Amino acid sequence: MASLAELRQLLKQDGDGKNLYDHLTETLMKILLDKPKNAYDMFELISAEVKANPLNPDPPSSNHIPPSPEEIERQLKWAKACTKLLQTPDEPPEPNVKFPDLMDESNLWEWAGISFGKSDTYRLYLSIQKFAETVSADYERLRFFGRINTRSSPYYIIEGVTADEEDEVDPMKVEGKAGANKYTYWVSQNVDMGPWIKLPNVTAEQVVIARKFKRFLTGQLDSALNSYPPFPGVEKNLLRAQIARIAGETSISPVGYFELDEDMDPPALKLAEDETINEIFPKKPDELKDMDAWNHHEIELNKLGRATVLPEQLDDNGDPIEEEDPVEAIPPLNALTENAWTFRTCPGGAGLADFSLVVAKSLLWPGAIAITGGKRFLNLYVGNGIMYEEKLYTPPLPSIIQIEWKPEEEDDALVEQEDTKVDPTPPEAEEEEEEEED
């Protein structure tokens, strides 16, 4: 009887670089990895599969494909841009306006499920810091509004308090600092290389028409818009209109942070005094989970696309024109719409504590959040810039074709004019030439 060593030696007899011993070993290894239910019946099939695709524990190293010159150029360009952000100048300039500490705020974003990654967030923070060194001090402060995704590179958006009113604008069409253009916005699609581009002011007509269609942005600010109804502007105007809608409908905060300034006409919102905030806050998370504990601190736009009422119009005699059905402005600090927001604590459940954060998420504008904890709160939007609707969007139908005009019974019937058969202006050029020759 052959011993085990003799049997192994028999199985290892090599034929064309292959032997039965290695084949059985690979077959048993595949059975251990795949764990088929009927290994006995499938043994021949597994053996044939291993024979066709043998295991190779030491595969040859793949040939590395070197990057193309274009890829190397893009990498070097990106590295140089990042180096400019990361370099510390000998004499760091003082920022002209206040800007947010994104490294701190990003810790709150993560509790709401939003993160750009530590590296991207840090470069975004440095980019805003560089921008704050160049912007005019009249803008007071900057805020990171959020990011709107496009079909190409997303738009990163900065918000600043509008400094100066535009000259020579029609107040019937464009609101000033007291209305929809209270803030100025800048966008960038590459925070490493910039630049930050200022968006134009929004008009009431643009807001009204932007509500009537849905469109994913292309990522090209000057691209034309093919929409129905026709939109008065290009993509940067539509982007600004969507930002105005989002800011008005999703800028919420716990009750007590803002109050009305009665000294102004009309009364305007202002941040409450520090003493008032210290008396009210911090609140317990259970209180802040209630919808009644929040309100809007930015005025929403009415159906005319305005935050303020229309200016008074005068007739030819200089008397004010009274409108039959005037549209009122939405009052400030109004309550939240029912079923428009969800609230949860972070951490919650077994980890719920007095220091837990409360996160509010908008159901009408997916991607809009508000976070509060202690004596602070913040708002952020990261989405597609499209409002949610329960029904599927369908473009509006074209207007009904008008009926062809017909004369009334008492009117005379229309009679078609006879065709002109004689030239009313015969040529006289030949006669004039003959007179000149004589």
Side-chain angles (χ1 to χ4, degrees):
M1 184 176 181
S3 63
L4 181 61
E6 292 175 343
L7 180 59
R8 183 180 299 173
Q9 186 67 25
L10 178 64
L11 295 176
K12 284 189 173 183
Q13 288 182 357
D14 197 350
D16 298 332
K18 300 177 183 178
N19 60 74
L20 184 58
Y21 182 84
D22 292 340
H23 175 70
L24 291 175
T25 303
E26 294 178 6
T27 304
L28 294 175
M29 180 63 69
K30 183 170 181 60
I31 292 174
L32 289 174
L33 293 175
D34 297 346
K35 296 181 176 59
K37 295 182 179 180
N38 50 350
Y40 177 78
D41 297 330
M42 296 182 61
F43 184 82
E44 289 81 2
L45 297 176
I46 298 173
S47 174
E49 183 180 353
V50 171
K51 188 177 292 185
N53 303 288
L55 298 176
N56 191 355
D58 298 318
S61 57
S62 58
N63 296 327
H64 178 68
I65 301 176
S68 63
E70 292 79 9
E71 292 176 339
I72 295 176
E73 184 179 356
R74 286 197 299 267
Q75 292 175 1
L76 290 175
K77 187 177 180 181
W78 178 82
K80 290 178 181 178
C82 291
T83 302
K84 291 182 180 179
L85 286 178
L86 298 172
Q87 281 180 343
T88 303
D90 297 334
E91 295 182 2
E94 290 292 332
N96 296 328
V97 296
K98 297 180 180 179
F99 60 95
D101 183 1
L102 295 190
M103 302 309 297
D104 178 39
E105 293 186 357
S106 63
N107 295 324
L108 302 182
W109 301 347
E110 292 181 358
W111 284 108
I114 295 176
S115 175
F116 300 152
K118 295 295 184 183
S119 177
D120 288 355
T121 302
Y122 183 58
R123 294 200 307 275
L124 176 61
Y125 164 73
L126 293 178
S127 181
I128 296 177
Q129 181 182 12
K130 293 285 186 182
F131 178 72
E133 297 170 359
T134 60
V135 73
S136 173
D138 296 334
Y139 288 102
E140 296 183 14
R141 67 180 185 276
L142 299 177
R143 181 178 79 92
F144 179 61
F145 177 84
R147 186 183 75 182
I148 293 183
N149 302 320
T150 71
R151 286 185 280 173
S152 56
S153 300
Y155 291 122
Y156 294 89
I157 306 167
I158 296 177
E159 175 188 274
V161 180
T162 299
D164 301 318
E165 298 277 8
E166 283 192 355
D167 298 330
E168 300 179 358
V169 296
D170 187 355
M172 293 291 295
K173 299 179 180 179
V174 183
E175 289 185 289
K177 295 172 61 176
N181 292 300
K182 176 181 178 181
Y183 297 103
T184 302
Y185 294 91
W186 298 266
V187 300
S188 177
Q189 294 178 276
N190 191 331
V191 297
D192 301 319
M193 297 181 242
W196 290 95
I197 301 173
K198 181 180 177 182
L199 295 178
N201 282 349
V202 67
T203 67
E205 181 186 12
Q206 290 170 350
V207 173
V208 172
I209 296 180
R211 291 170 173 164
K212 297 181 179 180
F213 68 93
K214 295 181 181 294
R215 179 186 177 89
F216 283 105
L217 301 176
T218 64
Q220 303 292 330
L221 288 176
D222 294 321
S223 63
L225 299 177
N226 298 321
S227 64
Y228 182 82
F231 183 80
V234 293
E235 180 161 301
K236 60 184 176 182
N237 302 105
L238 176 61
L239 174 61
R240 181 62 182 87
Q242 295 298 79
I243 291 175
R245 297 176 60 198
I246 295 170
E249 298 181 32
T250 66
S251 297
I252 64 172
S253 58
V255 175
Y257 276 106
F258 291 88
E259 59 187 14
L260 285 177
D261 188 357
E262 301 293 346
D263 296 335
M264 298 186 67
D265 186 25
L269 289 176
K270 68 173 184 177
L271 189 65
E273 300 293 337
D274 293 339
E275 296 181 359
T276 304
I277 294 177
N278 292 333
E279 292 176 1
I280 299 175
F281 299 96
K283 293 183 178 180
K284 293 184 177 180
D286 290 338
E287 300 179 35
L288 295 171
K289 287 178 63 177
D290 188 3
M291 185 182 69
D292 296 333
W294 297 71
N295 57 16
H296 289 268
H297 61 262
E298 295 295 347
I299 301 178
E300 299 181 65
L301 305 181
N302 59 16
K303 64 181 182 179
L304 297 180
R306 300 177 59 92
T308 59
V309 296
L310 285 170
E312 188 178 57
Q313 295 180 278
L314 304 178
D315 57 15
D316 296 338
N317 299 325
D319 299 325
I321 300 175
E322 296 184 1
E323 299 183 17
E324 297 181 358
D325 188 14
V327 179
E328 300 294 336
I330 299 178
L333 295 178
N334 59 324
L336 271 61
T337 305
E338 190 175 359
N339 298 326
W341 294 84
T342 61
F343 301 90
R344 64 183 179 89
T345 55
C346 303
L352 181 63
D354 291 342
F355 57 80
S356 293
L357 303 174
V358 175
V359 177
K361 289 190 175 184
S362 174
L363 299 178
L364 297 180
W365 289 96
I369 63 168
I371 310 172
T372 184
K375 298 180 181 180
R376 61 184 300 195
F377 78 94
L378 61 87
N379 297 102
L380 183 71
Y381 178 80
V382 179
N384 298 325
I386 296 179
M387 188 176 183
Y388 169 79
E389 291 185 2
E390 294 183 359
K391 298 180 180 179
L392 294 177
Y393 171 73
T394 54
L397 297 175
S399 302
I400 300 175
I401 299 176
Q402 296 183 355
I403 301 174
E404 188 174 354
W405 180 83
K406 293 181 179 180
E408 301 292 339
E409 295 181 356
E410 61 274 7
D411 296 337
D412 296 334
L414 296 179
V415 179
E416 185 178 358
Q417 184 179 0
E418 295 182 359
D419 297 335
T420 303
K421 301 179 180 179
V422 180
D423 188 358
T425 57
E428 300 178 358
E430 296 180 358
E431 297 179 0
E432 293 177 358
E433 291 178 359
E434 292 178 357
E435 293 177 358
E436 290 178 358
E437 290 178 358
D438 296 338

